[in-house]
């Protein structure tokens, strides 16, 4: 197949030359997504979908372990339902898609495609909740939602995206607050342990809260270019929604009460986060826990007798403890190396006639290309260990970048002295006034991301107005 | 808690008094669904969603085993895309929901919410397919779709339903035809082995095919009332769609060719099928393979020392090999028996002080209430065996009904002699003319369901027109 041997792995734009183009190249060339004929909508291709399913499996397991149950709500929201909670409708009405006709008839009342489902869950809760004995109700759904964004980018901002939205109601405010934070811990474990993405965590400022929430907590990750990605949020609603939707229950004291509510979500945006946290000039680098293929076996000199058989034999052995694939296509080994590096497979296993003679193979780490000759008899222990090492390697690299590019600043001048190509997280004090938040954005280009749980007293005063500071805020440039 | 002891399990309408009301009672009282404020849309509650997830897991495993991959397509279809295949648009346009506004702007082109996604898959295939080397592409997605039905019933016909839709393209017609039938076999295994629903299988007649398909194959199940439920369909499209959407590839001979296509789907309708196949006057009867709870442990005299501890200990042991729950609520044992029977749990395990003394428990089958005293030491073998026995028991019961209520008829008079309350499947010959199909429906109330693979030569002639018969058709009254 001479034509195939000439095929080159398509070039990716160098990461530090044009980060945005590098990102798009990876999305398309690693076959994670396809643009569609529907403007602003993308197709999740098998490789992207498989990553998402692995993320789903991990998080779904966590929340089921803690007693959460999945449900499925309608995808449409009647206009009157959306309007029941004032802040919520103001936040979402401008960006929803409206259904006005069903079949051949115009609808009496327009309905929007859910941009998020607080209203639908509350409507359901108001019908099924009766007694304190039923509480808490810990619900979640996996679905897609639609928000009519003006500019879109794969995974980061699309008119439709896939996510989970948890919605829970509780007897007391304390329990609901604890739920909000427990989920934030689940998100943290998912991101740090499984996606190898170090985080800064904390509440959002007043102006940045979710429409209708009393408190919004966020997990923020730093991308390769130093910009911030909000990777997930967890909201505490108090009883605002349950009052607006007349959700009530008979309490222990026999009085009618309103439950306290939370909601929380992570989305396919995490895949964008993985790309921009770990990727390099060779392409994608996938965290082993969510990589659709963890080990790719490349037979070398596969025309020689016994090589392909050995590759299949190894695949059968390895598939008992990891996700493994043999590339037995007629492309050259060099092409295959480049292709699977581009697709971010954590480990490559090369096996050729000489290796077989010596009962060994070559294992190559994707993250740093480190090679090791490994006896075939030891693969059952060597591969899991190496996968863990890759995971630790990419986490440490990301954590190192976050440390290097996090700046403690006392003044506006210090912030403005940060070079453009060294953009990062800026810790600076804040007086608590929205006006100073706005001024900071205007004067430095940095916007508040969250109020980190880990507070430091960098100075006594707000760098904008000079009044006493109440918090340290983490400022950044956000995706 | 005196008030709780007085609580009664809510009564269900007797199955033979009003089957439709019995069905609705089960849907609501077993907490499978909730009606929503969105007309014609339902909420899948945790118990219903858990059944669906178990079905998903089984079928998803089957198709991944045979090399299929999941993807996610946009939920909206621009009008122009829907119109590309003539038969398809005629079939679906009258029943779709139209989005006409995004954000505050009117859309230049209306888009419908997908009623099915052939058009989107073809659009995608046309962009990503280049060479015969890529074929087959074996894709599937799990999602919900919207069809603007006039009258709706939970699971059976709702404006939104959850399903999987498989879409594959192949190099040759033969391969695509083989795929269509291989999936029909997967559906058969799912229904007969896991859902314990015996089937009649075969192609649909010309007038009943899917909009745009060359062949549509169906699996048909008989419900408690003798009516037919189409439980799944698998379609062969030939190259009609790929021509309409200009999907091409360079073939082995270097010419540009159109691939051959299939699509196939099963939906949450299967849950309606489970209810109406196995349910009885006590409520739901769930096939063990998809029951969210396979064994419910009911502690008897649970205030006595050691009873609850023993129940938890058994739960820990059993959870290693089945889905198990302890009902440790403060309801009476009698109430719990009725409640979990109503919810269709296949096995009940009762454990009280006397049982503990004898190191035994009582196991009660949901399907026939058969009791057995079982030594605690034997539960690891006894429970899987009993679950299999329940599965076999409910399959055999359904198969018995299907046999009893399947009528081989030679004349219209024989068909009309079937008593209304013994409605069932009618095998009768057919000449192949649509006019006779219509006449049969008008004269008997029975409509063609499929042309069973297992053909019999009941007579030489069509009972309507008397002309030579070409096939035996299975006629029925459909949901």
């Amino acid at each position: 197949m001479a034509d195939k041997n000439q095929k080159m792995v398509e070039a990716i734009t160098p990461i530090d030359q044009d980060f945005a183009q590098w990102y798009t190249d990876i999305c398309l060339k690693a076959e994670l997504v396809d643009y569609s004929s529907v403007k602003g909508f993308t197709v999740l291709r098998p490789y992207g979908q498989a990553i998402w399913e692995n993320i789903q499996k991990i998080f779904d397991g966590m929340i089921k372990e803690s007693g959460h149950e999945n449900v499925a709500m309608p995808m449409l929201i009647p206009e009157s339902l959306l309007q029941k909670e004032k802040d919520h409708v103001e936040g979402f009405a401008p960006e929803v898609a409206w259904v006005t006709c069903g079949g051949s008839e115009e609808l009496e009342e327009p309905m929007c495609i859910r941009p998020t489902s607080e209203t639908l869950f509350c409507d359901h809760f108001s019908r099924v909740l009766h007694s304190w004995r039923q509480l808490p109700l810990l619900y979640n759904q996996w679905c897609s939602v639609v928000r009519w964004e003006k500019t879109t980018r794969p995974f980061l901002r699309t008119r439709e995206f896939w996510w989970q939205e948890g919605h829970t109601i509780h007897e007391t405010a304390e329990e609901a607050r604890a739920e909000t934070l427990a989920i934030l811990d689940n998100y943290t474990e998912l991101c740090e342990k499984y996606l190898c993405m170090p985080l800064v965590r904390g509440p959002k400022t007043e102006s940045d809260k979710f429409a209708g929430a009393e408190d919004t907590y966020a997990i923020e990750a730093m991308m390769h270019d130093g910009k911030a990605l909000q990777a997930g949020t967890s909201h505490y609603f108090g009883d605002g929604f349950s009052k607006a939707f007349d959700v009530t229950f008979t309490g222990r004291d026999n009085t009618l009460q309103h439950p306290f509510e939370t909601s929380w979500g992570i989305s396919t945006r995490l895949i964008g986060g993985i790309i921009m946290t770990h990727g390099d000039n060779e392409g994608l680098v996938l965290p082993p826990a969510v990589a659709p293929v963890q080990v790719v076996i490349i037979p070398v000199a596969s025309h020689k007798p016994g090589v392909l058989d050995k590759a299949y034999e190894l695949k059968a052995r390895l598939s008992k403890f990891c996700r493994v694939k043999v590339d037995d296509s007629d492309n050259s080994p060099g092409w295959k190396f480049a292709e699977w590096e581009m697709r971010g497979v954590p480990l490559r296993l090369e096996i050729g006639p000489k290796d077989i003679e010596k009962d060994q193979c070559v294992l190559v780490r994707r993250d740093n290309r480190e090679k090791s000759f490994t006896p075939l008899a030891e693969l059952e222990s060597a591969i899991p260990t190496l996968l863990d090492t890759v995971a630790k390697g990419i986490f440490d690299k990301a954590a190192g970048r976050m440390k290097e590019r996090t700046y403690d600043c006392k003044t506006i001048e210090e912030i403005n002295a940060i070079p453009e190509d060294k953009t990062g997280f800026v810790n600076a004090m804040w007086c608590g006034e929205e006006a100073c938040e706005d001024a900071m954005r205007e004067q430095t280009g940095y916007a508040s991301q969250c109020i980190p749980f880990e507070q430091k007293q960098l100075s006594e005063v707000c760098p904008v107005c000079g009044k006493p500071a109440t918090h340290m805020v983490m400022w950044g440039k956000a995706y």
Side-chain angles (χ1 to χ4, degrees), chain A residues 164-180:
Chain A
Q164 62 67 219
E165 45 177 324
H167 297 266
T168 70
I169 48 175
H170 305 260
E171 199 180 346
T172 66
E174 292 64 43
E175 281 176 41
R177 286 184 188 280
E179 166 81 4
T180 311

Side-chain angles (χ1 to χ4, degrees), chain A residues 55-75:
Chain A
I55 293 173
Q56 286 184 299
K57 212 175 294 169
I58 294 166
F59 187 71
D60 199 67
M62 281 184 194
I63 59 174
K64 280 186 176 155
E65 188 68 34
S66 52
H68 296 77
E69 299 179 296
N70 286 337
V71 298
M73 291 285 153
M75 69 155 73

Side-chain angles (χ1 to χ4, degrees), chain A residues 1-9 329-332 335:
Chain A
M1 300 280 135
D3 62 329
K4 297 295 283 186
N5 284 329
Q6 285 156 22
K7 184 177 164 191
M8 302 285 283
V9 173
S329 68
D330 49 13
N331 297 303
S332 70
W335 187 90

Side-chain angles (χ1 to χ4, degrees), chain A residues 227-238:
Chain A
K227 286 169 76 176
L229 184 87
Q230 179 175 294
T233 46
S234 185
H235 315 290
Y236 168 69
F237 288 112

